[in-house]
Amino acid sequence: MKVFVLLALVAAATAWPSFGSDSLQGYQSDAGTTFSLKQKQHHVNTLLWKIYDHLHDAELKEMADTFDPEADTSIYSDGGDAVHHLVQEDKDHRLLEQHHWFSLFNTRQREEALMLFDVLIHCTSWDCFVHNAAYWREHINEGEFVYALYTAVIHSKVAEGVILPPLYEVTPHMFTNSEVIMEAYAAKMKNTPGKFNMAFTGTKKNHEQRVAYFGEDIGVNTHHVTWHMDFPFWWQDSYGHHLDRKGELFFWVHHQLTARFNSERLSNWLDTVGELHWEETIVEGFAPHTMYKYGGEFPPRPDNVHFEDVDGVARVRDMLIMESRIRDAIAHGYITAKDGSHISIMDEEGIDKLGDIIESSMYSPNIQYYGQLHNLAHVMLGRQGDPHGKYNMTPGVMEHFETATRDPSFFRLHKYMDNIFKEHKDTLTPYTKEDLEFAGVSVEEIKVDGELKTFFEKYEFDLRNAVDSAEGIEEVELKAIVPRLNHNDFSFVADVNNNNDAEKLATFRIYMCPQFDNNGQEYTFDSGHWHCIEMDKFWKKLSPGSNHIVRKSSESSVTVPDVPHFQSLIDYADGKSEEVPEHYSACGIPNRMLLPKGKENGMEFALILAVTDGEYDATHDHAAESEHGGSHAHCGTHGEVYPDKRPMGFPLDRRIPDRRIYDQAPNFKYSIVKVFHGEEH
Ligand SMILES: [Cu+2]
């Protein structure tokens, strides 16, 4: 089952004294107050409603007014270290003011947000968590607060099961354009409800606009920002657990975003994306048509800009030096650690280490030497409109994970890093017959049931949190209407023979790879494998004999369903609705975008199925009985090891100099399918 069943947890929460008994001993305020999941949901809803305004809710207001974070340090697992630090910063008036923009890439602002995260993650009970959240909401910058709260709810044991509202309904400014925001302000002033159509930025004179529906999709933005919250580059294992294969996931999630962007480009008669380079012109400019809640418009970038050094961030030369050190590591086949020792990358785990140094994350074995190519690149690109800070411009869209994919240069930048990863993958030995083998198992057929058909639909989301309100004045209904890609339901259908006498656990790996480039040239297996998009990965038990496997498009472990609307979370928590919202994570490609757009007359893709030995591949027992959180392919499973032992992208992640290895492998099969796009469905 794909979703997390809240109801079961509600029951569990009332039955147990608290979650995760080991780590939660010691503190029970109010003679052992425990909170049901519904109460926790109510708290989180209230904390995130109208974040630019003071708390209205009496219970939380009381907490904010009366709580002294330092009064009882036994409520923290770090003895109160984090809270003393934050309180001191607050007393010294060093914290960023409220009603100011916040960017995670701003070092000082990030430090402040992480000071609060540090407090929340060390809370050993919900009571501590919610009191601190309520208190700091009134003391810290709103953007820092939202970031700290989201990451803490994702990673804290005491918040397990709480559903975070969709970010586009908490901070709508970051997900829609200025025109819509202005209309919402006007409607609010006139106290008149309204629904406003959001158009993708730019005009048809700009051919990049044909694929703006991908980079500006609220679900793609939510996936990207949530992934970076699930796997923060600043994460340290001292927060409580290790994030398994974070570096490799960094590679894979961005590689797949780039590959998917390319499939969308080919669907729209555009060439695949080319890489940006520090010494070359940034040909494509960008006008974001997006504004901050505080700080004005996001800065635009004209066409044909040459990279300039950015004051206080990095010089172009620094970027080239970092790149060449990383390329040296690939050429040598090893990374040089801080103490000078060599860490080999010429194996399956090499990509994980490379991901850590390129991002770079705190897992990087040598930040001093390899620098922070990815993070600095985002800021470098974000600042090209005002590299010397002459015009006091706000950070660019590239300096926020929720807005970065709006700028077409995001994909060019990631293509540049993707090519570095590819350089590494190309140095590894191509897979042999033995690597691919699954004894006694053969795929007879792979096909789809149902037409692969995409269409655009309209979707509404709530804008009430974009505008200010005053206590006692009725809210008016305000909504944005956005066009978004969707597809008809379909299923993957496979016939697989198991010629062994015993049941076998099998891993199903499904990819779709564009057949032709924009010039009509057919991709070879070797030139096309890097463009393949992952469609699904799951485990099934194969009985001896023939097995007919049907896997629904809605079940894909690459994707997630829509996050429940903020209002439905409120209705549920406040007892106004019987409906229990079900949602596990907002990390994952939106399920409605599982298929690339395709073309009116059909666009050809190779549909590839590799069935490999699940006994070897799966890292969990009962792999076939679990969906591992629902979107494990790009997002892993919270707090657990990645369910699949194989390299991400297996078996299409390495060079394929001789395709006969694949053609002759009975457990590997492909067919040609067409994706159609139309207005009706
Ligand atoms: Cu990213």
Side-chain angles (χ1 to χ4, degrees), residues 372-626:
Q372 315 168 42
L373 186 71
H374 166 260
N375 289 354
L376 287 177
H378 267 263
V379 184
M380 286 289 279
L381 203 49
R383 295 289 172 80
Q384 289 304 308
D386 184 17
H388 309 297
K390 283 164 72 179
Y391 308 105
N392 195 26
M393 301 258 244
T394 47
V397 291
M398 288 297 289
E399 292 168 80
H400 302 271
F401 288 126
E402 56 271 65
T403 52
T405 59
R406 307 177 87 79
D407 186 339
S409 69
F410 170 88
F411 295 101
R412 288 169 174 73
L413 182 68
H414 272 281
K415 185 69 193 171
Y416 155 72
M417 282 175 276
D418 194 54
N419 283 346
I420 300 177
F421 285 119
K422 184 168 188 295
E423 198 169 293
H424 161 70
K425 285 280 189 184
D426 285 351
T427 62
L428 301 176
T429 320
Y431 292 118
T432 60
K433 188 169 167 286
E434 290 69 37
D435 293 326
L436 295 183
E437 211 164 48
F438 187 7
V441 172
S442 59
V443 180
E444 298 308 310
E445 190 170 29
I446 171 69
K447 58 177 187 183
V448 290
D449 182 20
E451 195 186 20
L452 301 181
K453 174 84 184 278
T454 70
F455 53 89
F456 281 100
E457 62 173 12
K458 288 198 186 318
Y459 184 73
E460 290 182 3
F461 69 89
D462 201 326
L463 285 177
R464 282 176 296 169
N465 279 324
V467 300
D468 300 315
S469 54
E471 223 175 327
I473 296 182
E474 275 288 297
E475 290 285 343
V476 288
E477 192 188 42
L478 301 170
K479 287 205 160 127
I481 305 174
V482 294
R484 54 179 212 173
L485 192 64
N486 202 343
H487 60 82
N488 290 344
D489 286 337
F490 64 94
S491 299
F492 296 110
V493 180
D495 283 298
V496 182
N497 278 338
N498 172 11
N499 299 321
N500 302 287
D501 336 318
E503 192 179 72
K504 288 277 171 194
L505 179 65
T507 317
F508 283 69
R509 304 166 189 279
I510 304 178
Y511 297 91
M512 266 171 61
C513 319
Q515 281 290 89
F516 300 97
D517 71 10
N518 191 38
N519 213 13
Q521 286 277 324
E522 191 167 349
Y523 285 115
T524 64
F525 209 21
D526 195 30
S527 66
H529 75 94
W530 202 248
H531 294 304
C532 293
I533 57 178
E534 188 177 24
M535 301 303 284
D536 205 349
K537 177 164 66 183
F538 56 93
W539 285 270
K540 279 263 189 268
K541 283 183 178 151
L542 299 176
S543 317
S546 60
N547 292 263
H548 184 69
I549 308 286
V550 179
R551 175 80 169 180
K552 287 191 210 144
S553 57
S554 58
E555 294 172 317
S556 167
S557 62
V558 171
T559 66
V560 288
D562 283 329
V563 186
H565 282 295
F566 202 160
Q567 188 60 51
S568 70
L569 297 176
I570 294 171
D571 291 345
Y572 156 72
D574 296 354
K576 286 185 201 129
S577 159
E578 288 302 301
E579 212 172 309
V580 183
E582 293 183 347
H583 200 257
Y584 180 71
S585 169
C587 183
I589 302 278
N591 186 262
R592 59 190 166 75
M593 294 178 90
L594 178 62
L595 285 177
K597 177 172 160 270
K599 292 176 175 173
E600 216 177 297
N601 297 323
M603 176 173 163
E604 281 188 13
F605 287 85
L607 173 66
I608 294 178
L609 170 64
V611 177
T612 58
D613 187 354
E615 223 49 75
Y616 173 85
D617 300 338
T619 57
H620 294 255
D621 296 337
H622 313 296
E625 287 81 36
S626 166

